[in-house]
Amino acid sequence: MPVYKPTPIPASEITPRPLFNDRRRFMQIAAGASLAALLPPSVWAADNKLAGVKNPAYTVPEELTPYKDVTSYNNFYEFGTGKDDPAKNAGGLKTRPWTVTVEGEVKKPQVFDLDTLMKMAAIEERIYRLRCVEAWSMVVPWLGFSLAELIKQVQPTGKAKFVEFISLNDASQMPGQQTSVLAWPYREGLRIDEAMHPLTLLTFGLYGELLPNQNGAPVRVVVPWKYGFKSAKSIVGIRFAEQQPVTSWMLAGPSEYGFYSNVNPTVDHARWSQAKERRIGEFFRRKTLMFNGYEQEVAALYTGMDLKANF
Ligand SMILES: Nc1nc2c(c(=O)[nH]1)N[C@H]1C(S)=C(S)[C@@H](COP(=O)(O)O)O[C@H]1N2
Ligand SMILES: [Mo]
């Protein structure tokens, strides 16, 4: 089993950089104004707030995608396949009480209540890119902590080589599950060293509030160097296994969606190029970066692997 050795974070990544290109907004933040002050008041339903300490090691030198776009342009097939379907149809999702069952090849299998899970480690704000396989991308201030914190607590056995994520399966709440566009429940997976990588974020919120339902409330993963579909939403199960799990997208199209699905501008999707992407809210397309810009941090995970064969 490949053991993850943390890559030293280069000095350029540690030096705090402006979070925004827009100088005025940056100066407001630098002057100590809270992010809340920069957003429309309607966004800040008091009970939905979630505080996170900014982690300057995890940011990108690009403008944030506006909250409105992050929460209205979504993929969440449990609520329909249109980009605006999740925001329209996910309102009734019941996100409390909520449990996440952690099982399989672990010494301490456990059912975590959401509130217990959220208190397991300090919630950080991390600004990550998220790039969909459909060649659009966003920059989002996520709130959560490294999934590794949870994995360490449950103590994987020597046999645990993969981690599977299982989303909620409830057609009464998720109208999209009345169709068979994907095999339900939505399943995704990572190799255990990918899951242990500090960048892999167990995510509870964005933009200073709890996750809106359409973004995967109440808990999801965000794996920033992989195509968006690896970042499973509304997770109810995490299973450790010796064998590579079969994911919903692999079942839907094995020649189009591989297990690894690393963002890679040099490996095209079966039906389109991955060389460029459209940042939501922008007109001109940008060049897609290797591993979505996280090459320095994650390339070592794939040393010696043929990334064309393992797409
Ligand atoms: N359960 C579940 N998780 C999911 C999806 C889904 O359809 N169901 N879509 C994936 C895809 S394709 C993308 S691009 C991201 C989108 O996350 P966002 O809506 O927060 O931008 O969620 C991923 N996680
Ligand atoms: Mo996606």
Side-chain angles (χ1 to χ4, degrees):
M1 177 183 81
V3 174
Y4 170 66
K5 290 197 210 74
T7 326
I9 297 168
S12 64
E13 295 292 323
I14 292 166
T15 311
R17 283 182 293 189
L19 303 182
F20 307 99
N21 292 338
D22 177 323
R23 192 170 160 75
R24 186 183 62 82
R25 293 174 80 202
F26 171 63
M27 293 314 286
Q28 280 179 311
I29 285 183
S34 78
L35 197 55
L38 308 176
L39 292 164
S42 60
V43 163
W44 296 92
D47 49 336
N48 280 340
K49 276 191 187 176
L50 181 63
V53 177
K54 272 184 213 304
N55 186 335
Y58 300 105
T59 189
V60 296
E62 289 146 43
E63 224 174 306
L64 297 181
T65 303
Y67 176 90
K68 188 177 75 50
D69 294 328
V70 172
T71 57
S72 64
Y73 189 91
N74 302 104
N75 272 339
F76 199 169
Y77 278 19
E78 286 88 334
F79 296 102
T81 56
K83 295 287 175 274
D84 53 353
D85 285 341
K88 278 194 296 204
N89 301 331
L93 178 66
K94 201 165 162 273
T95 56
R96 298 283 174 123
W98 191 277
T99 58
V100 178
T101 301
V102 184
E103 60 188 1
E105 290 295 342
V106 285
K107 293 185 195 117
K108 296 190 164 171
Q110 210 173 319
V111 179
F112 290 99
D113 176 70
L114 182 69
D115 297 302
T116 310
L117 198 57
M118 289 179 75
K119 285 184 203 125
M120 189 177 275
I123 305 266
E124 296 172 17
E125 180 184 270
R126 298 188 185 180
I127 297 171
Y128 283 170
R129 304 179 189 88
L130 183 130
R131 188 198 186 280
C132 182
V133 73
E134 298 163 323
W136 50 266
S137 64
M138 298 185 180
V139 174
V140 181
W142 302 105
L143 294 160
F145 49 75
S146 292
L147 176 67
E149 302 283 348
L150 167 68
I151 297 179
K152 280 182 238 157
Q153 283 215 8
V154 297
Q155 301 178 18
T157 70
K159 283 186 180 169
K161 298 198 170 76
F162 294 92
V163 184
E164 183 178 21
F165 303 95
I166 301 137
S167 297
L168 181 68
N169 195 16
D170 182 354
S172 75
Q173 295 190 68
M174 298 176 138
Q177 289 185 335
Q178 284 152 21
T179 75
S180 48
V181 59
L182 286 175
W184 311 114
Y186 191 96
R187 288 171 194 273
E188 259 307 336
L190 296 171
R191 217 169 55 192
I192 193 156
D193 56 340
E194 299 177 317
M196 285 292 287
H197 191 285
L199 276 171
T200 300
L201 193 69
L202 190 65
T203 307
F204 304 98
L206 54 77
Y207 264 112
E209 64 176 33
L210 296 172
L211 283 170
N213 291 351
Q214 61 270 33
N215 292 91
V219 57
R220 68 178 294 178
V221 282
V222 178
V223 192
W225 71 95
K226 293 178 179 274
Y227 291 119
F229 61 89
K230 299 299 285 183
S231 297
K233 294 173 164 179
S234 304
I235 295 171
V236 294
I238 300 178
R239 185 175 297 148
F240 291 75
E242 190 166 13
Q243 303 299 324
Q244 179 178 299
V246 176
T247 71
S248 291
W249 282 104
M250 288 165 73
L251 286 171
S255 63
E256 304 195 10
Y257 311 102
F259 178 77
Y260 283 91
S261 297
N262 290 316
V263 173
N264 188 337
T266 71
V267 177
D268 291 342
H269 180 269
R271 288 178 283 146
W272 58 80
S273 164
Q274 294 290 15
K276 288 187 174 179
E277 69 200 52
R278 191 172 70 84
R279 183 64 49 85
I280 297 302
E282 292 181 0
F283 181 74
F284 292 106
R285 295 197 299 160
R286 315 174 157 244
K287 277 194 175 144
T288 286
L289 303 173
M290 187 64 200
F291 296 115
N292 206 21
Y294 299 94
E295 184 168 17
Q296 200 118 39
E297 291 93 330
V298 302
L301 294 173
Y302 309 104
T303 307
M305 256 178 83
D306 178 348
L307 296 178
K308 282 202 161 67
N310 296 284
F311 61 89

